Amino acid sequence: GAGVSQSPSNKVTEKGKDVELRCDPISGHTALYWYRQSLGQGLEFLIYFQGNSAPDKSGLPSDRFSAERTGGSVSTLTIQRTQQEDSAVYLCASSFGDRRETQYFGPGTRLLVL
Amino acid sequence: GESVGLHLPTLSVQEGDNSIINCAYSNSASDYFIWYKQESGKGPQFIIDIRSNMDKRQGQRVTVLLNKTVKHLSLQIAATQPGDSAVYFCAENPYNAGNMLTFGGGTRLMVKP
């Protein structure tokens, strides 16, 4: 079956511009996660959606970052007024939602802010 | 603060040998641990997990060992193959953190033919 998909796969933008990153989770998965991975680093949790509950935004680094999930499926991560330090791979994962269910990752979006 | 970390950033092994990748954690509330494999240009791929009520779990060519006394986790790969070359991450899930995973910094495994 189809896995988690993300688009675009690569994004180059200029400092100060806004970007939107998209994640399509695995069908039937109620939980969706966004992580950030800087070059050669581990994964940094950003935000987590579970069903219709309010998202856990505790990992968002600043108010320039926001995410929404429409209809309990597709999610968009928006970065406003991008900075060079936002350059990273943004990874999305989904799971069945119960704690300890395996999180399946997408291929990521590589963002480069010039 | 609480963290998950790795002892060796790079591990180089000969094809056919066994590999051992280590991970230390410090959050005593963690009761679920996962190993992920990440190949270049791809997202992390689930390998194996273990709950804190176990000290060993085996999969296909992989074994995870958990030592709660010293807060140590290891991934053993038997008969390492070139396709095992990747970065390996351990992740922990504290019982009081919902679904949130905390990832370690990763270990790069290089398999020499």
Side-chain angles (χ1 to χ4, degrees):
Chain A
V4 177
S5 60
Q6 293 186 244
S7 61
S9 55
N10 292 280
K11 177 71 176 179
V12 180
T13 190
E14 294 179 346
K15 178 181 175 181
K17 295 287 181 67
D18 298 350
V19 295
E20 285 189 352
L21 312 179
R22 177 187 169 103
C23 172
D24 285 85
I26 294 172
S27 178
H29 281 188
T30 60
L32 187 147
Y33 314 80
W34 284 99
Y35 295 87
R36 179 170 68 176
Q37 186 175 32
S38 300
L39 185 63
Q41 301 295 314
L43 280 71
E44 173 191 4
F45 167 79
L46 296 177
I47 188 169
Y48 153 58
F49 296 88
Q50 169 57 38
N52 296 321
S53 301
D56 179 346
K57 304 180 181 179
S58 60
L60 295 179
S62 76
D63 58 7
R64 296 187 295 105
F65 288 73
S66 63
E68 62 178 22
R69 189 179 185 193
T70 55
S73 181
V74 172
S75 177
T76 302
L77 177 69
T78 301
I79 308 174
Q80 297 178 309
R81 305 180 302 280
T82 52
Q83 303 295 313
Q84 289 182 333
E85 60 263 30
D86 298 335
S87 297
V89 176
Y90 290 82
L91 290 157
C92 175
S94 71
S95 74
F96 279 113
D98 290 339
R99 184 170 173 260
R100 300 176 182 175
E101 289 288 348
T102 301
Q103 295 184 24
Y104 295 90
F105 283 83
T109 293
R110 285 149 191 80
L111 174 66
L112 177 61
V113 182
L114 300 177
Chain B
E2 303 283 13
S3 65
V4 175
L6 297 173
H7 295 307
L8 299 173
T10 304
L11 177 64
S12 184
V13 300
Q14 202 71 36
E15 180 179 359
D17 288 351
N18 297 333
S19 302
I20 300 176
I21 301 172
N22 295 302
C23 179
Y25 68 96
S26 57
N27 190 340
S28 56
S30 292
D31 63 352
Y32 178 56
F33 305 87
I34 312 101
W35 281 101
Y36 281 91
K37 171 187 180 183
Q38 187 175 28
E39 297 174 283
S40 180
K42 297 182 179 180
Q45 176 187 3
F46 172 87
I47 302 174
I48 192 168
D49 59 4
I50 189 168
R51 290 168 170 70
S52 60
N53 61 349
M54 304 172 70
D55 53 21
K56 180 179 180 180
R57 191 170 186 212
Q58 289 185 291
Q60 186 177 13
R61 282 202 306 120
V62 295
T63 300
V64 55
L65 299 177
L66 174 63
N67 187 328
K68 296 180 288 294
T69 302
V70 296
K71 294 188 178 65
H72 184 266
L73 190 69
S74 69
L75 177 70
Q76 300 179 1
I77 304 174
T80 314
Q81 303 170 359
D84 295 327
S85 294
V87 177
Y88 289 80
F89 294 96
C90 62
E92 63 173 340
N93 177 221
Y95 72 87
N96 56 0
N99 293 35
M100 188 187 309
L101 297 180
T102 300
F103 283 81
T107 291
R108 180 174 299 281
L109 176 64
M110 301 175 63
V111 182
K112 296 177 290 186

